[in-house]
Amino acid sequence: MALTFVTSNLHKFREVSELAARRGLEVVHYNWRYPEIQADELEEIARLSAMEVSAKLGKPCFVEDAGLFVDSLRGFPGPYSNYVFRTIGNPGILKLMHGEKNRRAEFRSAVGYCEPGGEPMIFVGRVEGWIAEEARGTGGFGFDPIFVALEGDGRTFAEMKTEEKNLFSHRARAVDSFLNWFKEVKG
Ligand code: ITT
């Protein structure tokens, strides 16, 4: 059975289809910039979005909400990552971090799956790392050029191929636990 992933972000879709293909599952892209509620928790945003989107489309589907949480900025931009990326972008984050010794940060992801009229299921993932001193790499999207994962080899996410980022990214972790659940319960 094919799974419908509702997102306006083609990069996310690519990462998620690679993870699904490894398990022999197919993911269909439904390109929609659905209106998101404002909330401090990604889980809450994913939960409400999954309910809305599955009700509107009249079929089971999933969404994913993600964000970059920077320690010394007390978790900023967090759930506001999309807006912050579009406004100040990577140069803005690097400027805010100028001279800062504590560069610790993490990406978090929340996947919300829902069937029309049903209760949403939420799956989360995170990856710890730090903010690089300068942007590096041309792959990936968003904050990838300035994020270095602790578990990696010093390259930013933007210097990795999709398959490499998928080895330990926040999204891969949330999506993996979703797909495991899906295969077990629905497969
Ligand atoms: P949809 O809501 O339509 O899925 P979006 O791009 O708005 O797409 P999010 O709200 O989840 O997705 O993401 C917020 C922003 O956080 C995103 O636009 C990126 O700038 C950043 N971001 C999220 N995941 C990222 C990742 O894996 N690498 C780099 N930046 C990421």
Side-chain angles (χ1 to χ4, degrees):
M1 175 163 70
L3 279 158
T4 303
F5 180 22
V6 184
T7 177
S8 61
N9 186 324
L10 201 62
H11 298 278
K12 281 188 180 184
F13 173 69
R14 257 189 235 123
E15 292 180 12
V16 170
S17 359
E18 203 255 341
L19 293 163
R22 275 196 230 161
R23 292 184 153 70
L25 289 166
E26 192 196 343
V27 176
V28 172
H29 185 199
Y30 191 93
N31 193 342
W32 178 20
R33 179 132 208 65
Y34 54 85
E36 266 174 21
I37 57 140
Q38 263 193 17
D40 290 347
E41 301 294 330
L42 299 182
E43 289 90 332
E44 187 59 7
I45 301 172
R47 203 176 69 79
L48 289 168
S49 301
M51 276 169 82
E52 285 276 321
V53 160
S54 63
K56 285 259 160 60
L57 298 188
K59 61 177 173 181
C61 45
F62 70 99
V63 298
E64 190 254 1
D65 204 59
L68 176 69
F69 295 72
V70 182
D71 267 25
S72 65
L73 304 178
R74 306 217 174 117
F76 178 87
Y80 308 102
S81 291
N82 178 308
Y83 178 74
V84 171
F85 184 75
R86 284 185 288 113
T87 50
I88 64 172
N90 287 328
I93 298 287
L94 289 175
K95 201 163 163 189
L96 288 172
M97 296 296 287
H98 185 71
E100 177 60 61
K101 289 217 166 55
N102 173 14
R103 307 191 71 85
R104 205 201 153 277
E106 67 180 48
F107 268 124
R108 291 185 205 155
S109 160
V111 167
Y113 169 83
C114 195
E115 295 167 7
E119 261 307 301
M121 291 289 299
I122 305 299
F123 305 85
V124 296
R126 54 196 277 268
V127 57
E128 292 183 51
W130 69 89
I131 302 297
E133 296 285 345
E134 75 286 302
R136 281 186 271 124
T138 52
F141 68 101
F143 300 112
D144 279 344
I146 61 166
F147 184 82
V148 182
L150 272 180
E151 292 146 274
D153 55 7
R155 283 179 295 160
T156 65
F157 271 170
E159 293 177 303
M160 295 181 179
K161 296 198 187 92
T162 303
E163 307 87 75
E164 293 176 300
K165 180 179 171 186
N166 270 349
L167 289 177
F168 42 74
S169 84
H170 52 311
R171 178 164 303 103
R173 286 176 172 150
V175 169
D176 273 342
S177 56
F178 163 53
L179 296 178
N180 286 342
W181 170 84
F182 187 84
K183 270 203 123 165
E184 204 171 299
V185 178
K186 308 273 170 192

